[in-house]
Amino acid sequence: KSVVEPCYGAGAKKVYVFDNIATSAYGMAQKCYQLSGIAAAAKDAGAIVAPGDAKKYYHNVDIPHAKVLTSTRVHELVLESDVFINVPILKNHGYTRLTMAMKNLMGIVWDRTDYHYSGLDQCIADFCLFKKPDLNVLDAYRVLLRHGPQGDTPEDVSLQKSLVLSTDIVACDAAAAKIYGNEPQKIKYIKMAHDMGIGNMNLKKVKIGKHIFTRG
């Protein structure tokens, strides 16, 4: 809701919210929208909650200069949008160590099995050559530290109370990795994307504004 409302305040005519969840093939997509609270919050703010669980919404695109992921199918809303905002969370992941902004873009791609078969980290970096969000709003308020991506118990969660906003998706992930307690260069897809010129993982060379928010 806090992302959608400013979009309308800035003059947006329509705001769509969608995700292609990992279990969508099992008919869980709509249930996930409901259980997570995303559907209610988005609709309350005036957004249109769009389906992401059918192949017909995805269209083939080529990714020039990619090392592995040279083509894939991307949701039509992303292809047609004037402004694309990426809203990931920070959490542990069994394969890539962390899920952040770059990995969250797997949610706009139809078939993620290509990523796993071809080299997950390189595919995550490669896709950013095709599409980088206009803004990344990374939620690091409650962070899953272990047993990702699902988690097992509430004890796996740490309260970090942080939010990262950046137009540079690599810098966003670098900052999030630091919040988690990792060095950015140790996360393979961050280092790959940095070396490919997609963004900057060197936070010493990034202008960073820090803000503290309190509830009145």
Side-chain angles (χ1 to χ4, degrees), residues 38-164:
I38 289 173
K43 290 177 180 177
D44 188 49
I48 301 166
V49 180
D53 56 349
K55 189 175 181 179
K56 65 181 180 180
Y57 300 117
Y58 297 79
H59 305 283
N60 193 66
V61 300
D62 294 323
I63 305 177
H65 310 299
K67 295 184 178 182
V68 175
L69 189 71
T70 56
S71 65
T72 190
R73 298 181 69 91
V74 178
H75 198 288
E76 60 192 16
L77 284 176
V78 175
L79 300 177
E80 297 167 0
S81 66
D82 296 306
V83 177
F84 172 39
I85 301 175
N86 184 25
V87 190
I89 63 170
L90 170 61
K91 65 177 180 179
N92 171 253
H93 192 276
Y95 291 113
T96 60
R97 298 182 70 175
L98 295 178
T99 286
M100 296 177 287
M102 279 190 279
K103 190 176 182 302
N104 194 55
L105 296 184
M106 292 175 73
I108 65 174
V109 172
W110 172 245
D111 189 359
R112 277 81 67 86
T113 57
D114 289 344
Y115 283 59
H116 290 275
Y117 292 148
S118 303
L120 184 56
D121 289 282
Q122 186 62 62
C123 288
I124 290 170
D126 280 348
F127 184 78
C128 295
L129 291 169
F130 171 73
K131 189 71 175 181
K132 288 186 289 187
D134 297 284
L135 178 64
N136 301 279
V137 181
L138 185 143
D139 181 354
Y141 196 89
R142 299 177 72 251
V143 178
L144 181 67
L145 298 180
R146 295 172 292 274
H147 306 121
Q150 289 90 359
D152 285 339
T153 67
E155 286 71 34
D156 292 336
V157 176
S158 172
L159 200 62
Q160 296 295 326
K161 297 184 178 181
S162 297
L163 190 69
V164 180

